[in-house]
Amino acid sequence: MRRRVAVLFGGCSVEHEISVITALQLMEAMDTLDYDIVPVYVDQKGHWYAGKELLKREFYDGLPGCLENITKVTLLPQPGVGGLTILKNMKVIPIDIIFLAFHGKYGEDGCVQGLIEMADIPYTGCGVLTSAVTMNKSCCKAVLANSNIPVLPWVVIKREESRQSLGALLSRIKKCEGLENFPYFIKPCNLGSSVGVGKASDEKAFAEALARVFKYDTDAIVEPCIEDLMEVNISVLEGDTPQVSVVEIPVAISKVLTYEDKYLRGGKNKLGGVASDGMAGLVRDIDPEYLDAKLKESIRNYALAAFMILECAGVVRFDFIIDCKTNTVYFNEVNPLPGSLAYYLWEKSSPRILYTEMLDWILKRAEIRKARVNAVHKDMEFKALR
Amino acid sequence: MIVVVVAIILLCHLLLYRHRSFHYLRYFQQEEYNSGRFLSWLWNNRVFDIKATAIALIALIVVGFVPFVGSIVAAVALLFPIILEGDPRITGKITLKMTMRAKRIYLCAFILYATLLCIAAWYVRLHMLWLIQILFFQSIPLLLVIANGVMMPLERIRQRRYVSEAREIVRDVNPVIIGITGSYGKTSTKNILGEILQIAVGTTFWPPKGVNTLMGITREIRENLKRGIDYAVVEMGAYRRGSISRLCGITPPKAGIITAVGLCHLERFGSEEDIFKAKSELAEAIPDNGILVCNGDDPAVRRIAEENHKLVTLLYGFDDNDLDCWVSSMALEGDKGTSFTLHWNDDVYDGYVPMFGKTMLYNVMAAFSMACAFGADPEYVLAVLTNIEPVGNRLQVERNGDIIYIKDAYNSNPIGFCAALDVLEGLLAKRRIIITPGMIELGERRYEENVIVGEVAGAICDLAIVVGDVNSDALRCGLERGGLDDKDIVYCNSRDEGFAYLSSVVKDGDAVLIENDLTDLYEQRVRL
């Protein structure tokens, strides 16, 4: 039976635009014979809009004025509604499955997942706990380190602490094992997409990097900066036995992959102001031969293990770092809702999975998971009050 | 039959009315619903209806022969201007924002207009109707003014309620308020200071963009000032004497920055002494145990500092003449930003900002001094500065391929204009081009001030594109004095025409200064 899928994207996060790109790509790839797509755009203020107009890329050139004539909707946090509620007349647009295509705050951190849980509708990707844990870099590292997945040492800094004294802060960091000396790598604790990341080789650069992070996040995470590093990404797809994709090495212009590297360099045209393809447009080496087979193997194993430990679902992307001097692999971070859903990796994997198939699989799994979660006794009789 | 025809005419007419009233409303909104200024804009620019009037005149003749068919064709023709002119809510540099107030004025005007039109249609014959419609077309802006007047008492009551709510919120949240005023640089200073305080001092509220009017600030407070916020940075615009005092009534400042006392908005103020007194109001509102940060290079601001003693008074500037914070050297770092040497408390710091121009450094110094006065670590403040982005269209340098654009598009003034020219001169470029309508709000000094900046520009630029005819004589005179050949000065009627010309001549290696890209209101011609 044809299912009606609401694709949710946009949202109040720094990665708003990237989410729009991810969503437009996946809505184009989704099989419309099996799925009736209802695009739901959440603007930067957090208002929800639904309508077929949202399928067109050109539409977003006219923001925010073009939203005037689009139906405003919402999702009520109560079971039994069965879809999106139109704000104007409280009528319901029935929805079978929600496809989440958000990146970052509220959409990838468990918030919207919690709302949809309450509305009792199947949704794609990781659940509340996994999303919440994986979005916080420090929390995620702690959980994985506890299960013997190698991670770099790290320290969390609060914005309030930085206001007191930078000197005292540095001496606290230097007391940690593995963080005795510069250079450091500083990044926001709760953001993906490389927004605000920076390297510091001295105190001045440290202050600058911190200031950059605190523009976007209240917490910063400090790690040792590995001078000769290679980033390796790999994707894992949900299943009764999860599958791993090929690995890729994203090619950064500088040592560290910046937001511009990831999203703005586009595929063909490298001038500013061109339409970006999101993560799919990045310059990359897929399954490179120069990467040692043993390293690939251990990355695959770590990725699979991490997927299970974190109880991930849908398609996720793990980013690892290889210290080229020692050939050691470290878990770096996980994207519970990766840009472009990492489809470009699956198209090169074996067995090959095309984007349309992958989306179909993810949607089917969402319904299976929902059924499994619901198949427990819900003892909700009145006892204590009577 | 006649009823149907008249109904069609009225329907088309009202559709055109709806479209046109949006057009006028956009300008009315830009003039902050000031009826006097709106009407004088209307009169000076002769923005009267031409298209619909022409259609009605033709209809008047045609209807004599084929009354019904002619009327219907003419009525449908009335819809063409709607398609031709574009929706002012979406198109144009500054769009009409359908705020609640705009909606109320629109609706009130619509009811008045539609009623009058229907009454007219009831009493007159068909061909007379076409004659009378011309009157109606021309009266659209007047109806808006009348509607605004009708709504005014209600508007006043509403505003008063909002203001008192805002005052209540401020009292409840009780943040440390820092007021910023000055003829220019206050928006940038506010944004820079807000960013610095937020990261290096404490949770900070600062209204976005150039919000600096009573109602603008009131709205921001009601929506975004929440408990837990420690600091509030408020830009206080002064358009006449007393306006800053009023703002200080809602947001009583503990500290303040005065950036400059210049010629901005001279048209609205009257005299320079009035500007001086208006800016002094901020210093007067700060308690004696407060902090006052002033531009020490501006003699009038210095005078304000001397006349108003506070616990902490700090002066900043370039010429170290008894200053607390000063910059001894600055250098352009390619098209990326500016590095500078800053002196503060007997220490010397090397700083960098991804922004341009001497005026921008004034803003940086003002924000730096204020943040340090509140206990921020100077090193950390400088670290924040390296990450600051300029606010849109305020001296931004952008590279597009091999062409560098300097955008300094907001309400230009002599000092800001020259600072932008400074940056243009400092960039590596094969050709230097300026596109500008000159400076507008300078009252009776407009001509001479435009000649002066024109002369500076003439010495630097290889090509000048003068937009509009408001300042074209003054600019020509200045540019030629500065040494620019007559053939290298191009005159364009509108912004669009200017940019079209620019894109036809601009080449790799050029640097283009877009100076004072004004609001729609001052552009050459609006034809309806």
Side-chain angles (χ1 to χ4, degrees), chain B residues 380-420:
Chain B
Y380 204 18
V381 174
L382 290 169
V384 177
L385 286 172
T386 61
N387 289 304
I388 269 174
E389 282 153 38
V391 181
N393 291 338
R394 280 162 207 261
L395 210 58
Q396 262 178 321
V397 178
E398 279 170 16
R399 183 178 279 276
N400 188 349
D402 261 338
I403 303 162
I404 303 172
Y405 289 94
I406 308 167
K407 293 183 181 166
D408 186 31
Y410 201 76
N411 215 17
S412 192
N413 58 71
I415 292 178
F417 203 120
C418 291

Side-chain angles (χ1 to χ4, degrees), chain A residues 256-310:
Chain A
V256 179
L257 208 59
T258 61
Y259 184 86
E260 282 74 18
D261 279 332
K262 275 194 181 172
Y263 303 119
L264 302 183
R265 271 199 276 135
K268 295 143 205 149
N269 199 336
K270 296 197 175 162
L271 287 175
V274 294
S276 161
D277 291 327
M279 272 304 277
L282 181 67
V283 188
R284 53 166 45 89
D285 272 349
I286 288 184
D287 200 15
E289 283 181 12
Y290 55 82
L291 190 63
D292 185 56
K294 264 190 210 155
L295 280 177
K296 281 188 197 167
E297 183 58 27
S298 62
I299 286 168
R300 270 199 290 273
N301 290 337
Y302 284 139
L304 268 179
F307 190 89
M308 310 288 254
I309 294 161
L310 295 166

Side-chain angles (χ1 to χ4, degrees), chain A residues 204-219:
Chain A
K204 198 169 178 205
F206 174 72
E208 285 168 16
L210 267 192
R212 185 154 56 243
V213 170
F214 289 142
K215 241 176 125 165
Y216 302 103
D217 203 339
T218 55
D219 294 12

Side-chain angles (χ1 to χ4, degrees), chain B residues 349-360:
Chain B
Y349 300 90
D350 287 326
Y352 168 82
V353 269
M355 295 187 286
F356 299 89
K358 207 173 167 185
T359 40
M360 200 49 95

Side-chain angles (χ1 to χ4, degrees), chain B residues 254 282-292 305 308-313:
Chain B
K254 169 85 176 149
L282 174 61
E284 284 155 18
I286 297 169
D288 289 345
N289 64 355
I291 304 167
L292 181 61
N308 295 277
H309 274 285
K310 306 295 165 195
L311 185 66
V312 180
T313 304

Side-chain angles (χ1 to χ4, degrees), chain A residues 62 65-66 68 159-160 162-163 166 204 207-212 214-216 271-272, chain B residues 89 98 195 197-203 350 377 379-380 383-384 386-389 401:
Chain A
C66 58
E68 291 239 327
R159 184 157 65 189
E160 286 71 25
S162 80
R163 289 170 186 156
L166 288 177
K204 198 169 178 205
E208 285 168 16
L210 267 192
R212 185 154 56 243
F214 289 142
K215 241 176 125 165
Y216 302 103
L271 287 175
Chain B
R89 290 171 300 174
M98 283 313 272
E195 296 267 4
L197 292 178
Q198 177 88 295
I199 291 169
V201 183
T203 314
D350 287 326
D377 178 346
E379 297 277 4
Y380 204 18
V384 177
T386 61
N387 289 304
I388 269 174
E389 282 153 38

